Amino acid sequence: MERHLVIGASGQLGIELIIGMQDRYGVSAVVSSDIRKSDDDDVNRGEFILLDATNKEAVRKVLVDGKFTHVYHLVAMLSAKGEENPLAGWDLNMTSLLNVLECAKEGLVKKVFWPSSIAVFGPNAPKNATAQDTFCDPTTVYGVSKVAGELWCKYYFEHYGVDVRSLRYPGLIGHRSQPGGGTTDYAVEAFYRALEGKKFDCYLEKNEALPMMYMDDAIRATLNLMEAPSECVRVRTSYNLSGCSFSPSELSDEIRKTIPDFETVYNPDARQQIAASWPDSIDDTDARSDWGWNAKYDIEGLVAAMLKALKR
Ligand code: AKB
């Protein structure tokens, strides 16, 4: 029987992944773990284990005791927060990943998922339809840790046969929880301000386009990749993944179609520089041809889905 453990389950992605997997595999097949318990009632239908993923022995014990077949290791300090404390960001992102990979090397788990990001790209990568194999010269410690992590995943696959799979997520937009410490977080905040009838103070420039994705697409991509036959997963660093792409002003215009009074003001801060170093849009040809990826949400669908869910 398959048993799925999500490490870092109380974050923005973890909460949605847990619920997506509970629906797909059953509540008892999915266990969440983190350094704090989520307050989402749906997530808490399932078992929770308190776990600090930087403690290798603790990770090992949870995997041995729980007899898990699949691990989704989501622990990370994101781009903006990482710039405030680069060494702590590097340490958390790398130590926790290597702890999981070492356990997988020992055969304690069959499959590992680890998220990478569009943050692997930097100023020298082409901005539009950024290709799978182009310059990865990130300017943030988060991006550096993602490039290194991707190479570690490939190393463990090639040297030890660890079946580790990965996606380069764009900015993720979902309604169940808010992100924290990222550069793309503004897009989630915009919806809350719009529905509260408040002015939105945006920390990016109005025309700063970034790759984005609605959470339902991200969860579907993750589970489809994990379920794909091993021989179809040809990219063992991390797959480019595209949803849609928009700037703050395009997002505001789309929200205004439903909430005409919504007002955005622009006061770029240090996060603008990070955003400017990332692609505007992504070419995900390999994900499409290797395991049949196809995004469902464009900006219209994403905004409609977010407003409907948050109103509810
Ligand atoms: C961030 O903004 O740091 C993340 C990401 C794009 O990986 N959302």
Side-chain angles (χ1 to χ4, degrees):
M1 201 187 89
E2 289 186 352
R3 290 207 6 108
H4 304 257
L5 175 71
V6 179
I7 307 180
S10 302
Q12 185 207 18
L13 174 61
I15 289 173
E16 307 256 10
L17 186 60
I18 292 275
I19 292 165
M21 288 204 294
Q22 286 176 340
D23 291 347
R24 197 130 149 178
Y25 307 125
V27 171
S28 62
V30 185
V31 174
S32 43
S33 69
D34 207 312
I35 50 168
R36 66 176 174 88
K37 194 170 178 174
S38 149
D39 50 19
D40 189 295
D41 290 341
D42 289 331
V43 169
N44 292 336
R45 289 178 299 176
E47 188 187 338
F48 173 79
I49 300 172
L50 198 64
L51 176 64
D52 171 4
T54 61
N55 180 337
K56 186 174 170 207
E57 277 319 302
V59 174
R60 199 169 178 282
K61 184 169 179 346
V62 167
L63 293 179
V64 170
D65 292 351
K67 298 192 172 45
F68 292 102
T69 54
H70 294 57
V71 169
Y72 302 76
H73 174 56
L74 310 182
V75 174
M77 191 183 292
L78 299 186
S79 55
K81 187 142 181 247
E83 291 312 282
E84 288 165 17
N85 200 340
L87 291 186
W90 171 260
D91 193 36
L92 175 69
N93 297 357
M94 287 290 95
T95 306
S96 62
L97 171 63
L98 288 168
N99 286 347
V100 171
L101 290 176
E102 276 293 294
C103 289
K105 176 183 154 191
E106 281 182 52
L108 298 179
V109 58
K110 263 176 34 195
K111 272 188 202 171
V112 176
F113 176 80
W114 176 75
S116 187
S117 162
I118 53 161
V120 293
F121 298 114
N124 285 314
K127 288 279 170 226
N128 288 306
T130 306
Q132 177 73 40
D133 294 312
T134 183
F135 292 103
C136 285
D137 58 345
T139 55
T140 63
V141 73
Y142 173 65
V144 174
S145 76
K146 289 299 181 190
V147 174
E150 287 189 3
L151 294 172
W152 273 121
C153 289
K154 187 160 180 268
Y155 186 93
Y156 273 75
F157 172 72
E158 286 176 350
H159 290 255
Y160 310 122
V162 171
D163 190 354
V164 47
R165 304 173 180 202
S166 177
L167 296 170
R168 289 173 177 162
Y169 289 124
L172 299 182
I173 301 180
H175 58 87
R176 279 191 176 266
S177 76
Q178 298 197 39
T183 301
T184 58
D185 299 4
Y186 88 85
V188 178
E189 198 192 327
F191 289 97
Y192 284 87
R193 295 298 91 80
L195 287 165
E196 288 161 0
K198 290 191 180 146
K199 191 189 279 182
F200 173 47
D201 190 355
C202 181
Y203 56 75
L204 295 187
E205 276 171 13
K206 64 189 294 193
N207 295 323
E208 185 57 65
L210 285 171
M212 298 284 188
M213 177 172 278
Y214 189 52
M215 199 55 96
D216 288 18
D217 269 345
I219 301 307
R220 198 165 46 82
T222 307
L223 300 183
N224 288 357
L225 173 65
M226 287 300 270
E227 288 172 1
S230 193
E231 61 278 11
C232 295
V233 184
R234 289 183 314 113
V235 175
R236 289 293 179 164
T237 47
S238 186
Y239 277 97
N240 271 12
L241 190 69
S242 174
C244 50
S245 175
F246 53 78
S247 66
S249 76
E250 286 166 332
L251 177 63
S252 300
D253 289 347
E254 192 57 41
I255 294 175
R256 258 192 298 279
K257 288 183 187 166
T258 309
I259 305 175
D261 292 342
F262 179 50
E263 193 190 341
T264 304
V265 291
Y266 298 93
N267 288 304
D269 66 15
R271 288 168 281 191
Q272 168 55 34
Q273 240 187 329
I274 299 176
S277 74
W278 288 351
D280 293 357
S281 63
I282 295 288
D283 176 348
D284 61 1
T285 304
D286 285 346
R288 288 166 183 274
S289 56
D290 287 1
W291 44 276
W293 169 243
N294 208 350
K296 284 194 181 149
Y297 287 84
D298 56 12
I299 181 171
E300 286 88 5
L302 179 153
V303 169
M306 279 296 282
L307 290 176
K308 188 170 166 207
L310 286 175
K311 273 185 197 160
R312 200 168 53 217

